[in-house]
């Protein structure tokens, strides 16, 4: 397993998870209109955007397994938003935990951030378990914060501070 830049050859595998209803059911954006050109533009912008980093998670054969990101990087306030998405075939095999640890190392040790945060729909139990396993701490819940597919949804917020990351790293 390793992280690398997103490449045009990853398009089909990105579209695979973006069209998988089991995966996108907890997303806050509609993926049905996303096509090859949209993904190619995202990949191109990923190489030039200074406020976000998006990396491909790949196996030993350089096959794309998912995307891990730090978005909305605020250099002044030293924080960024974390996100990750995997193909179904990569789930349960350690890719997300590997990628999460690598991105936290990148965030705190390379970018010198103070805080990495994420938010997740309250009903997305797998994602909540995952972010807590990575060390993110629950900060609160916004009730009826989003209107998705005809329903109001709650949003849970999590964060990891640099000090907490240092303590976690000592225990690895």
């Amino acid at each position: 397993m390793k992280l690398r830049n997103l490449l045009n050859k990853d398009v089909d595998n990105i579209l695979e998870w973006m069209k998988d209803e089991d995966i996108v059911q907890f997303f806050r954006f509609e993926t049905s209109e996303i096509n090859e050109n949209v993904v190619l533009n995202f990949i191109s912008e990923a190489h030039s955007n200074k406020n976000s980093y998006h990396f491909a998670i790949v196996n030993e054969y350089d096959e794309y397994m998912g995307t891990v990101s730090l978005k909305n990087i605020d250099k002044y306030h030293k924080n960024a938003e974390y996100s990750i998405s995997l193909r179904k075939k990569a789930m349960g095999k350690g890719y997300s935990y590997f990628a999460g640890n690598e991105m936290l190392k990148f965030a705190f040790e390379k970018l010198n951030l103070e805080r990495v945060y994420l938010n997740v729909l309250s009903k997305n139990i797998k994602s909540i378990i995952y972010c807590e396993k990575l060390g993110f701490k629950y900060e609160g819940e916004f009730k009826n914060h989003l209107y998705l597919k005809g329903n109001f949804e709650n949003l849970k917020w999590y964060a990891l501070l640099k000090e907490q990351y240092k303590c976690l790293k000592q225990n690895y």
Side-chain angles (χ1 to χ4, degrees):
M1 290 179 218
K2 70 176 186 174
L3 300 184
R4 65 156 167 77
N5 286 329
L6 290 166
L7 302 174
N8 288 349
K9 72 176 187 170
D10 300 325
V11 169
D12 289 339
N13 290 329
I14 293 171
L15 284 170
E16 175 189 304
W17 66 256
M18 289 191 115
K19 301 299 181 182
D20 188 321
E21 187 56 39
D22 290 337
I23 294 172
V24 300
Q25 67 179 314
F26 297 115
F27 283 19
R28 292 180 308 213
F29 60 91
E30 183 58 47
T31 60
S32 62
E33 301 296 319
I34 295 177
N35 59 34
E36 183 176 330
N37 287 333
V38 172
V39 175
L40 285 170
N41 285 337
F42 174 78
I43 291 169
S44 176
E45 290 174 13
H47 297 291
S48 61
N49 187 336
K50 301 298 181 200
N51 294 320
S52 297
Y53 289 92
H54 306 279
F55 295 105
I57 309 161
V58 298
N59 66 14
E60 63 273 17
Y61 306 107
D62 199 47
E63 178 184 3
Y64 171 94
M65 293 292 153
T67 302
V68 62
S69 304
L70 284 175
K71 309 180 295 185
N72 305 314
I73 297 170
D74 184 327
K75 293 175 182 168
Y76 180 79
H77 295 290
K78 295 184 173 252
N79 64 56
E81 180 180 1
Y82 174 85
S83 69
I84 188 168
S85 292
L86 294 180
R87 294 171 65 196
K88 206 175 264 182
K89 74 184 275 182
M91 293 181 177
K93 297 182 178 168
Y95 286 99
S96 61
Y97 193 66
F98 164 80
N101 282 314
E102 289 297 305
M103 282 305 272
L104 291 173
K105 180 179 179 181
F106 180 72
F108 293 117
E109 296 180 24
K110 298 285 189 212
L111 299 179
N112 196 32
L113 297 179
E114 176 61 27
R115 181 176 190 272
V116 175
Y117 63 91
L118 62 87
N119 54 65
V120 60
L121 293 178
S122 298
K123 64 184 182 182
N124 190 347
I125 304 304
K126 284 184 180 181
S127 289
I128 290 169
I129 292 168
Y130 164 72
C131 72
E132 290 176 351
K133 181 178 178 183
L134 273 180
F136 283 89
K137 305 297 182 207
Y138 176 71
E139 292 192 326
E141 184 169 12
F142 290 9
K143 303 286 186 178
N144 291 352
H145 188 68
L146 300 170
Y147 189 72
L148 302 171
K149 300 174 186 168
N151 297 303
F152 284 101
E153 301 290 346
N154 298 345
L155 195 62
K156 290 190 176 198
W157 289 83
Y158 289 83
L160 185 63
L161 304 178
K162 181 186 272 188
E163 185 71 24
Q164 295 166 325
Y165 168 77
K166 287 178 184 177
C167 290
L168 288 172
K169 188 178 167 196
Q170 291 175 352
N171 295 327
Y172 289 153

